[in-house]
Structure formats: structure tokens, C-alpha cells
């Protein structure tokens, strides 16, 4: 039974080591919940064709402006919804931790509209790389966030499935993986990358709010309520507060680490079996030059001492006392070595 328990604990530790750490942030969590709410009618009744919440070439003729935003939340089948939720958690949550919850909630619809307009502009020219040109899910917005990270980071290489690759090559590698995501055309993903590059180069400076404005919005009603919810980690809009939280995480306060445990032998254990039996004391006691005779003992008294060794045999040490003249001479020499007590020296010599 004990062996089975140890095996189960070891497997549990291995699973916890390989599973990624789940960190819930308000912006990404609300995006997932909104995706579930918008996609629920199409998933339950199968009326995805009649809902018309995705993005395709028909938007140019019908002027359905709301579809420039709703397409990132709409999914007509379960595989598309699952892929989109994973992308939101992986890319969206990481981007939110870098920019803050308020800016994430602002940039998500901005990137959706920008990628959608650029995609429709390319479709208006007659270029279509896929037969199914409908766009659903968060993939295009995730590519915008990825391109911003690549343009702003100072890292030259990153780990991609266990291999070190150049940072500039990551969008191309993720484009290959995005080919397997349903309802995520290659053209829309490329448009998302272009929107992120334009934003990181300052092309949307007139749409980019300042940090002071974001901090004021951070104190308003909806975001003030989000800060009080305990089951997720709210990311402040101020960069100073975000850096302070990262500093507290990297430099924990004293006492937060477990203390080192030292060995203490159990009570009643013989000194023969003690690991400290052959260790020499760091400080010699009594100090050199200090007499070991008890107070009041007369000089010249026969001193006898018995002790028992660890092997079981005993020794007897006999010290013949000093004569009175030798005792006074040694006492005189000891007091002369400590000039801080001249009065006591005079009393002893008298």
C-alpha cells in the first residue's frame, strides 16, 4: 500500500510539473465568457449560417458594421471554439499581463476592427487565398498581439517546441500552425500581423491612449468592481504598479523561504553514536591562564580528577599543588598581563 501511494505521488508531481500554470486575468476570462455566450445559440441549434456574426465578403454589400467585432467571439462549431479559447488563454493573457487589463479591453476590439477592415480591403481587390473566406475566432487578434511583442522585445531567440529559434521567425512558424485552426484563413492572420506591426511602429499613435488616461479609467466603476473579484489577478494600467508586482514576485520578503533544518541528536543517545563525537569545540573553555580550582580552595591542595572514556576504561589525573611562592608568582604574572586592574593587583601583592 505504501509503495502504491509513493508511485501515485510521483506521477502527480510529474503531471503538475508538465502542466502549465493557469493564471486567470479579467480581460482574457471575460473574452472567453463572451465567446461562449455569443457562440451558444449556434452550437445548440446549429443556426450558424443564419446568425451572420462572422466576417466574410458579404459585409461589403450589407454594411453590417457589427460583424467587424463580433467575428472574434462567434464560433459555429465546437473545435473552433476550443481552439479560440486556448489562443485567448495563451496569447491574450500574456499580452494582458504586459499592457494591463484596461488597455487589453481597449486594444482587443481595435485590433479586431483593424484586421477586419484590412482583410475586407484585400478581398475587394479580388485576392482570396482560400475557398472558405469566413473568419471566426480570436486568431487574427492573437497574431496582432504576437507581432507587437516581437517588435518590442529585446530577446533575439526564444524556445519554440524545445528548439531555440530567432524571434523574428516566430510569426511565420505560428502561421504554419494556424493552418490547422478551422475558420482562420491565412489572409486574415497575415492582416493581423500587419496591424500589429503598424501599431508597434507608431502608425496608430492618435488611437493610443496615454498611461495617465488609462490609470484614470482604471479607477472607474466597471474596472473598480473587477479589482475586488478574488479568483483572478487584476493587471493595473500603470507600468510602475506592474513592475512593482513583478519585483515583489522575484524578490520575496525575508522569511518566506523555508529555513534550513539542522541535525539534532535525540535525547538519551550515547555520545559514541553521535555524529559530533569526534568534533573539536570551536572555543576552548576555560581560557588559557584561568585557574580551574574552585573559589576558596587553598593553594597546594592535592587535586584529583577521575573521568571515564567512551571505551569503558577510566583514567585518574593527579595534580600536585603549587607552593605558596610559586602560586604568588603566577598570580603576580597574571595580573601584570591585565593592566586594566591595578588596584586589585596591589591588594593581592600586599
Amino acid at each position: 500500500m505504501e509503495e502504491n501511494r509513493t508511485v501515485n505521488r510521483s506521477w502527480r508531481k510529474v503531471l503538475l510539473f508538465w502542466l502549465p500554470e493557469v493564471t486567470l486575468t479579467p480581460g482574457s476570462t471575460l473574452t472567453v465568457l463572451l465567446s461562449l455566450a455569443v457562440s451558444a445559440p449556434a452550437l445548440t441549434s446549429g443556426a450558424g449560417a443564419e446568425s451572420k456574426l462572422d466576417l466574410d465578403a458579404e459585409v461589403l454589400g450589407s454594411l453590417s458594421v457589427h460583424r467587424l467585432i463580433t467575428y472574434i467571439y462567434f464560433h459555429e462549431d465546437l473545435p473552433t471554439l476550443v481552439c479560440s479559447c486556448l489562443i485567448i488563454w495563451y496569447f491574450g493573457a500574456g499580452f494582458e499581463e504586459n499592457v494591463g487589463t484596461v488597455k487589453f479591453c481597449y486594444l482587443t476590439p481595435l485590433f479586431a476592427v483593424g484586421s477586419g477592415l484590412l482583410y475586407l480591403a484585400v478581398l475587394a481587390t479580388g485576392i482570396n487565398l482560400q475557398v472558405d473566406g469566413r473568419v471566426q475566432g480570436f486568431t487574427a487578434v492573437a497574431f496582432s498581439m504576437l507581432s507587437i511583442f516581437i517588435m518590442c522585445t529585446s530577446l533575439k531567440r526564444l524556445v519554440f517546441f524545445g528548439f531555440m529559434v530567432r524571434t523574428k521567425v516566430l510569426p511565420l512558424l505560428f502561421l504554419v500552425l494556424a493552418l490547422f485552426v478551422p475558420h482562420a484563413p491565412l489572409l486574415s492572420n497575415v492582416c493581423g500581423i500587419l496591424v500589429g506591426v503598424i501599431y508597434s511602429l507608431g502608425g496608430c499613435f492618435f488611437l493610443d491612449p496615454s498611461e495617465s488616461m488609462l490609470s484614470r479609467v482604471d479607477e472607474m466603476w466597471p474596472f473598480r468592481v473587477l479589482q475586488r473579484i478574488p479568483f483572478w489577478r487584476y493587471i493595473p494600467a500603470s507600468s510602475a504598479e506592474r513592475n512593482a508586482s513583478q519585483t515583489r514576485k522575484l524578490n520575496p520578503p525575508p522569511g518566506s523561504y523555508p529555513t534550513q533544518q539542522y541535525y539534532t541528536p535525540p535525547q538519551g543517545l550515547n555520545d559514541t553514536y553521535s555524529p559530533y563525537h569526534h568534533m573539536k569545540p570551536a572555543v576552548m573553555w576555560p581560557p588559557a591562564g584561568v585557574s580551574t580550582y574552585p573559589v576558596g580552595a587553598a593553594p597546594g591542595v592535592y587535586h584529583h580528577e577521575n573521568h571515564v572514556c567512551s571505551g569503558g576504561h577510566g583514567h585518574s589525573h593527579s595534580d600536585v599543588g603549587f607552593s605558596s611562592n610559586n602560586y604568588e608568582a603566577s598570580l603576580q604574572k597574571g595580573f601584570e598581563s591585565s593592566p586594566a586592574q591595578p588596584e586589585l593587583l596591589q591588594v593581592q601583592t600586599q
Side-chain angles (χ1 to χ4, degrees):
M1 294 295 294
E2 294 181 356
E3 294 180 357
N4 295 333
R5 291 179 181 176
T6 55
V7 171
N8 293 332
R9 291 176 182 175
S10 62
W11 277 105
R12 188 180 304 171
K13 291 180 179 179
V14 171
L15 290 176
L16 293 177
F17 176 77
W18 284 105
L19 288 176
E21 182 181 358
V22 178
T23 303
L24 296 179
T25 53
S28 58
T29 305
L30 292 177
T31 304
V32 171
L33 295 178
L34 188 57
S35 300
L36 294 175
V38 174
S39 305
L43 294 175
T44 54
S45 60
E50 289 81 8
S51 59
K52 296 301 181 182
L53 295 176
D54 53 2
L55 186 66
D56 55 7
E58 297 179 359
V59 179
L60 297 174
S62 60
L63 296 179
S64 301
V65 182
H66 64 279
R67 295 170 67 176
L68 292 173
I69 298 178
T70 57
Y71 76 93
I72 65 173
Y73 305 109
F74 176 74
H75 311 85
E76 65 179 11
D77 51 7
L78 187 59
T80 308
L81 178 62
V82 172
C83 293
S84 184
C85 291
L86 292 176
I87 291 172
I88 292 170
W89 168 74
Y90 188 78
F91 292 97
F95 185 75
E96 183 180 357
E97 290 180 357
N98 291 326
V99 300
T101 301
V102 177
K103 197 168 185 178
F104 174 83
C105 296
Y106 170 74
L107 292 179
T108 298
L110 180 64
F111 291 159
V113 174
S115 301
L117 290 176
L118 187 59
Y119 177 71
L120 294 177
V122 175
L123 290 182
T125 60
I127 300 175
N128 191 1
L129 301 178
Q130 290 185 356
V131 178
D132 186 11
R134 293 182 301 168
V135 183
Q136 299 174 8
F138 199 79
T139 311
V141 179
F143 272 101
S144 299
M145 297 176 178
L146 177 64
S147 60
I148 292 175
F149 167 74
I150 292 174
M151 293 293 293
C152 297
T153 186
S154 59
L155 300 175
K156 295 183 179 180
R157 292 181 180 274
L158 289 174
V159 180
F160 182 79
F161 288 97
F163 298 96
M164 295 296 295
V165 297
R166 295 184 62 86
T167 308
K168 306 298 182 181
V169 187
L170 283 180
L172 300 178
L173 298 177
F174 280 109
L175 279 176
V176 177
L177 295 179
L179 295 176
F180 301 95
V181 179
H183 301 294
L186 178 63
L187 181 59
S188 66
N189 297 332
V190 173
C191 292
I193 293 175
L194 293 177
V195 169
V197 171
I198 293 172
Y199 177 84
S200 59
L201 293 177
C204 303
F205 65 93
F206 54 93
L207 297 176
D208 194 13
S210 61
E211 186 174 334
S212 59
M213 182 183 298
L214 294 175
S215 300
R216 288 195 298 267
V217 176
D218 207 0
E219 299 175 357
M220 293 184 178
W221 170 75
F223 298 100
R224 190 169 59 241
V225 174
L226 294 178
Q227 296 176 13
R228 299 177 181 177
I229 299 178
F231 63 84
W232 58 37
R233 185 165 63 92
Y234 187 86
I235 311 300
S238 175
S239 60
E241 296 181 7
R242 294 196 302 270
N243 294 334
S245 62
Q246 293 293 331
T247 304
R248 287 192 299 268
K249 185 187 300 183
L250 296 176
N251 300 324
S256 60
Y257 285 110
T259 57
Q260 185 178 2
Q261 296 181 357
Y262 296 94
Y263 172 79
T264 55
Q267 296 181 359
L269 185 64
N270 192 4
D271 291 340
T272 306
Y273 302 99
S274 176
Y276 306 103
H277 177 67
H278 299 287
M279 294 180 62
K280 296 181 179 180
V283 180
M284 299 300 294
W285 186 263
V290 178
S291 175
T292 59
Y293 288 99
V295 179
V301 177
Y302 181 79
H303 179 68
H304 184 79
E305 179 181 0
N306 295 324
H307 71 273
V308 180
C309 296
S310 59
H313 60 279
H315 295 278
S316 177
H317 299 278
S318 299
D319 297 328
V320 180
F322 298 102
S323 63
S324 59
N325 296 330
N326 294 334
Y327 177 74
E328 292 178 359
S330 62
L331 187 64
Q332 178 76 15
K333 183 179 180 180
F335 278 101
E336 288 177 355
S337 61
S338 58
Q341 300 176 351
E343 298 177 0
L344 184 60
L345 180 61
Q346 294 177 4
V347 172
Q348 294 290 342
T349 54
Q350 291 175 1

